[in-house]
């Protein structure tokens, strides 16, 4: 019989599960459901102190309390279990990544890319799906065909790994959103080529379907450089999505936070899209 696991989270996000064994604070004072274990799941390093306080609060339940998650460098060696730590609809079909980007913790935590058993879901969160084998990728898209919603690729697709046959699969899937990334200068030319391949496959770029994460505010970054990356992203045919760099303490510069908010305003980005379309 499956264990009844209470999952406790320091904060709620769009991806947090919503079943009766999910909690965001100390255990309820009146009625606690029957449980076998408590898992304190921590995504962000700056939530670790709060998580450790919650772990102490939950010890009175008299069952084992485990503290883990990405913030504790969990290598995620097991199979992905839909609905346990992520809301139903999210899926992860591979772990790790073969790149060594300085700002990404996935290779350090999870190691080289490895393929997992494919579980149902329509929002794919793989670190680097396009590094997987062709057979695995095609199987993922077969799985997506039977889902009740059009797919999203929120985990991100690496532009330099993109091939025409990937674009054909993306077009056939009628994806509602796909994210690429432009964080450092060497990402730009692959992003331009990715835009060309997507358009050749019939996918309308310069829309909300083809989006792109842009890391901003890291050491050595400037507002001018970040602005240029965002504008170049639009010219390449992608909707930019500013991702503000945070250190392990979660600290952010107020001016960079303001810059991010401006670039997340749909009206501003749509206006820039219009200008890029007219220029192109």
């Amino acid at each position: 019989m499956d264990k009844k696991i209470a999952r406790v989270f320091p904060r709620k996000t769009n991806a947090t599960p919503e079943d009766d064994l999910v909690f965001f604070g100390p255990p309820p004072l009146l009625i606690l459901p029957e449980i076998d274990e408590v898992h304190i799941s921590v995504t962000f390093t700056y939530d670790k102190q709060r998580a450790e306080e919650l772990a102490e609060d939950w010890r009175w339940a008299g069952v084992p309390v485990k503290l883990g998650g990405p913030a504790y460098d969990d290598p995620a060696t097991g199979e992905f279990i839909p609905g346990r730590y992520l809301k139903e609809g999210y899926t992860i079909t591979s772990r790790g990544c073969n790149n060594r980007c300085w700002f990404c913790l996935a290779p350090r935590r999870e190691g080289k890319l490895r393929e997992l058993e494919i579980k149902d879901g329509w929002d794919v969160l793989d670190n680097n799906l396009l590094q997987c084998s062709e057979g695995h990728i095609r199987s993922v898209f077969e799985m997506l065909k039977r889902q009740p919603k059009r797919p999203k690729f929120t985990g991100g697709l690496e532009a330099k790994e993109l091939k025409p046959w990937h674009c054909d699969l993306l077009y056939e899937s009628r994806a509602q959103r796909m994210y690429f990334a432009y964080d450092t200068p060497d990402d730009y030319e692959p992003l331009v080529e990715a835009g060309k391949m997507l358009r050749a496959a019939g996918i309308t770029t310069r829309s909300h379907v083809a989006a792109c994460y842009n890391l901003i505010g890291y050491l050595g970054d400037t507002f001018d450089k970040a602005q240029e990356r965002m504008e170049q992203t639009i010219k390449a045919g992608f909707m930019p999505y500013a991702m503000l760099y945070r250190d392990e303490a979660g600290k952010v510069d107020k001016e960079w936070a303001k810059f991010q908010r401006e670039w997340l305003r749909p009206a501003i980005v749509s206006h820039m899209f219009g200008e890029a379309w007219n220029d192109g």
Side-chain angles (χ1 to χ4, degrees), residues 4-240:
K4 295 180 179 179
I5 301 173
R7 285 95 69 221
V8 182
F9 300 86
R11 69 175 65 229
K12 186 174 184 178
T13 72
N14 291 335
T16 308
E18 298 177 328
D19 61 78
D20 293 339
L21 293 181
V22 171
F23 303 88
F24 299 97
L29 294 175
L30 298 179
I31 300 177
L32 179 65
E34 182 181 343
I35 56 175
D36 300 306
E37 288 183 359
V38 176
H39 292 186
I40 314 290
S41 180
V42 195
T43 300
F44 306 109
T45 54
Y46 42 87
D47 283 334
K48 289 169 71 172
Q49 180 177 344
R50 170 63 175 158
E52 288 158 13
E53 293 169 355
L54 287 171
E56 288 301 316
D57 290 338
W58 277 85
R59 294 195 192 283
W60 80 268
V63 297
V65 176
K66 298 180 180 180
L67 186 63
Y72 288 91
D73 291 332
D74 185 346
T77 53
E79 291 296 321
F80 173 72
I81 301 175
R84 176 168 287 184
Y85 303 114
L86 292 168
K87 186 187 300 183
E88 293 286 349
Y90 289 90
T91 188
I92 298 175
T93 79
S94 66
R95 295 284 194 182
C97 180
N98 295 331
N99 298 337
R100 300 292 296 179
C101 300
W102 68 266
F103 50 83
C104 181
L105 298 176
R108 190 187 81 188
R109 290 169 172 163
E110 302 177 9
K112 293 286 188 179
L113 183 129
R114 64 187 187 281
E115 297 173 357
L116 306 177
E117 180 182 343
I118 297 169
K119 305 292 180 63
D120 278 9
W122 55 85
D123 199 329
V124 182
L125 298 183
D126 295 37
N127 295 315
N128 202 329
L129 176 64
L130 299 187
Q131 283 185 346
C132 293
S133 65
E134 179 172 347
H136 181 86
I137 293 172
R138 291 190 181 277
S139 294
V140 169
F141 277 87
E142 283 299 314
M143 175 274 291
L144 293 172
K145 288 180 181 178
R146 61 176 181 263
Q147 302 308 310
K149 296 184 180 181
R150 292 164 54 197
K152 291 182 181 180
F153 297 88
T154 304
L157 303 171
E158 187 176 6
K160 74 177 183 180
E161 297 284 353
L162 190 70
K163 298 177 178 62
W165 65 269
H166 295 145
C167 298
D168 292 338
L169 291 173
L170 288 165
Y171 175 77
E172 292 167 7
S173 76
R174 298 177 62 246
Q176 53 178 306
R177 182 70 63 90
M178 60 188 80
Y179 286 94
F180 290 80
Y182 176 22
D183 301 316
T184 57
D186 58 326
D187 291 330
Y188 182 59
E189 288 305 322
L191 187 69
V192 172
E193 293 304 311
K196 293 176 182 177
M197 278 191 277
L198 291 171
R199 289 190 290 275
I203 296 171
T204 303
T205 59
R206 292 190 171 122
S207 71
H208 288 275
V209 173
C212 182
Y213 295 123
N214 297 96
L215 185 66
I216 64 170
Y218 50 83
L219 185 64
D221 199 13
T222 67
F223 294 118
D224 287 343
K225 290 178 182 178
Q227 177 97 3
E228 182 179 22
R229 289 196 302 277
M230 309 289 264
E231 292 175 356
Q232 287 178 327
T233 295
I234 292 172
K235 289 180 180 178
F238 296 84
M239 177 71 72

Side-chain angles (χ1 to χ4, degrees), residues 217 223 244-245 251-258:
F223 294 118
L244 184 56
Y245 177 78
K251 294 179 181 178
V252 297
D253 181 274
K254 290 183 179 179
E255 291 302 313
W256 274 111
K258 179 181 178 182

